[in-house]
Amino acid sequence: MGKKADGKVLAQNKKASHDYYIEDTYEAGLVLTGTEIKSLRNGRANIGDAFATIRNGEIFVHNMHISPFEQGNRSNPTDPTRTRKLLMHKEQIHKLLGQSKREGFTIVPLKVYVRNGYAKLLIGLGKGKKEYDKRDSAAKRDAQRDIQRVLRDKQKIAR
């Protein structure tokens, strides 16, 4: 039997760190159909517009797009953006519910990956950034990049 892919990132939400301050992260299992997991393993997923909600003590992810599997059962097509259930411990869900009720906090999917053969979703508790915060973050990132460039050039000259 072959080695299972450990922690292989299949989809990532790069906008999340730009739009939110991520306070805390949690790992949740995904409830998927057979063709969805095959499509996910092929990297055919998008979580850019996804968000999570908690209803009746259960957590769900909305707008997570998993393209239909080409070789799958065409007579039973599933909606690519259907609401999917997440698997978490009850204590984690209650803690997340309490934190997300605070003003300005939301539950944001960060990345989808496979661990020990199971699809996992890393979700974060995010607080929305204001427009000036986004500009400030971009300025800090650009300054750090310039510093790294200068240091790299100095090392080249020293050799």
Side-chain angles (χ1 to χ4, degrees), residues 32-128:
L32 300 171
T33 64
T35 55
E36 283 179 332
I37 187 67
K38 288 181 178 189
S39 186
L40 191 68
R41 286 179 192 271
N42 287 340
R44 311 223 339 122
N46 182 4
I47 59 171
D49 298 330
F51 63 96
T53 57
I54 299 174
R55 281 194 318 258
N56 301 330
E58 295 179 330
I59 186 165
F60 298 92
V61 65
H62 305 272
N63 288 352
M64 179 177 158
H65 188 278
I66 299 177
S67 298
F69 189 60
E70 293 87 17
Q71 290 83 35
N73 186 358
R74 287 182 184 83
S75 64
N76 186 16
T78 57
D79 180 22
T81 58
R82 73 179 178 89
T83 301
R84 293 172 178 89
K85 185 175 177 180
L86 298 179
L87 304 173
M88 291 179 73
H89 291 286
K90 195 173 284 189
E91 298 83 32
Q92 287 180 319
I93 293 174
H94 289 305
K95 183 178 177 186
L96 197 56
L97 178 62
Q99 291 174 334
S100 66
K101 288 286 186 197
R102 297 191 323 228
E103 178 104 13
F105 281 89
T106 186
I107 304 167
V108 184
L110 301 174
K111 47 173 98 160
V112 178
Y113 54 94
V114 173
R115 175 177 288 159
N116 297 331
Y118 295 104
K120 302 287 183 179
L121 179 68
L122 185 70
I123 57 175
L125 184 69
K127 182 170 175 64

Side-chain angles (χ1 to χ4, degrees), residues 3-22:
K3 186 175 187 266
K4 294 181 182 175
D6 282 328
K8 180 183 174 201
V9 176
L10 304 172
Q12 196 164 359
N13 188 353
K14 295 179 180 171
K15 263 179 32 177
S17 61
H18 181 261
D19 293 340
Y20 301 97
Y21 293 113
I22 303 299

Side-chain angles (χ1 to χ4, degrees), residues 144 146-156:
Q144 192 64 32
D146 291 340
I147 291 169
Q148 292 299 322
R149 188 178 302 124
V150 168
L151 289 174
R152 194 171 50 244
D153 291 345
K154 283 188 176 184
Q155 285 179 344
K156 287 181 182 177

